[in-house]
Amino acid sequence: MKNQIINLDQNFKPIDGDEIQFESFTFSAGEPHIKIKSDIVGPVIITHRLNSFNDLGLLCIAVDALKRMHAELEELIIPYFPSARQDRVMIKGEPLSVKVYADIINQLGFKTVRILDAHSEVTPALLNNCTAVTNHLFIQSVVGKIGTDLKLISPDGGALKKIYKVSEFLGGIEVVECSKSRDVKTGKLAGFKVYTDDLNNQDCLIVDDICDGGGTFIGLAEVLKKKNAGKLYLAVTHGIFSKGFDNLDSCFEHIFTTNSFKDLTHENLTQIKLNDRLLS
Ligand SMILES: O=P(O)(O)OC[C@H]1O[C@@H](O)[C@H](O)[C@@H]1O
């Protein structure tokens, strides 16, 4: 039987199919409400941008409504997994936030959960039957626009394994390894090491999963410039850009992201819209 799709974040339609119609609104006290308007005739796929506990609330009540209509919950597609960076307890007294989200999502009872460019191996391990889609097709789209005559830059050890896989997928673009240190107590960036003597004016593409405030990439760009990098490009799957673009713009020739977190327009940014292909 053909799947039916419910795009819970109505501005975000990453895959095609027969859409389930619904109405949603928030009561004045802030409580979400939903009404499913279509008949349920096939297995259901939900796509949702799950950036906060409010988004999670809407998902939970939507699933309740669907279960009351005897829906078969085939798949949940949430490209950006919330709190994925809080995947370990660094200091006594901190929560393991990613597990809080994962436990709730596991309870919903989907056959599979699909996420994009997982921050680490922790999130897929916590989710039942998780498909973790890589960033390979996204980065392939990026190099399709800027060419392959460049070096791929991995900002830190966490991104290293992934970037070698991207490089292999793209036919062996050279990787430059870097490491990043943070103050464990404050979380503030302490510095970068770039493991090459000279970049010889070669263009560089920094590849990472998330750009939040951008401090990582601004700091790394400074170090790469000191090593004689040519043009600098940035590709991050999940574009939060919580501190805007002013400081990033002066560091990068161009920035690339997807719309997994939010819709963005900015003159120095290309947002590649997620679709069936990028999520497979
Ligand atoms: O420096 P900002 O943009 O705030 O944070 C993004 C970085 O923080 C990491 O966990 C991400 O993987 C990325 O390397």
Side-chain angles (χ1 to χ4, degrees), residues 210-271:
I210 299 168
C211 179
D212 191 341
T216 299
F217 309 106
I218 294 162
L220 182 55
E222 278 170 20
V223 181
L224 292 170
K225 280 287 176 195
K226 281 186 191 150
K227 296 252 178 187
N228 300 320
K231 286 181 194 153
L232 294 181
Y233 297 92
L234 174 64
V236 285
T237 311
H238 308 295
I240 300 175
F241 301 107
S242 56
K243 294 196 177 152
F245 292 94
D246 288 352
N247 295 325
L248 286 161
D249 278 347
S250 54
C251 300
F252 293 100
E253 186 73 14
H254 205 77
I255 299 168
F256 298 88
T257 192
T258 75
N259 60 333
S260 66
F261 188 82
K262 61 183 170 190
D263 292 312
L264 287 161
T265 48
H266 179 68
E267 65 275 11
N268 200 26
L269 174 94
T270 298
Q271 190 173 50

Side-chain angles (χ1 to χ4, degrees), residues 85 119 155-156 180 182 189 208-217 242:
R85 288 171 287 173
H119 177 68
D156 54 32
K180 173 171 80 177
R182 280 188 191 274
L189 274 176
D208 209 349
D209 59 335
I210 299 168
C211 179
D212 191 341
T216 299
F217 309 106
S242 56

Side-chain angles (χ1 to χ4, degrees), residues 181-213:
S181 49
R182 280 188 191 274
D183 183 311
V184 179
K185 282 199 179 129
T186 63
K188 280 200 174 141
L189 274 176
F192 289 95
K193 274 199 178 131
V194 177
Y195 297 99
T196 187
D197 292 335
D198 199 309
L199 287 160
N200 297 314
N201 208 31
Q202 178 84 56
D203 295 347
C204 295
L205 173 66
I206 300 178
V207 177
D208 209 349
D209 59 335
I210 299 168
C211 179
D212 191 341

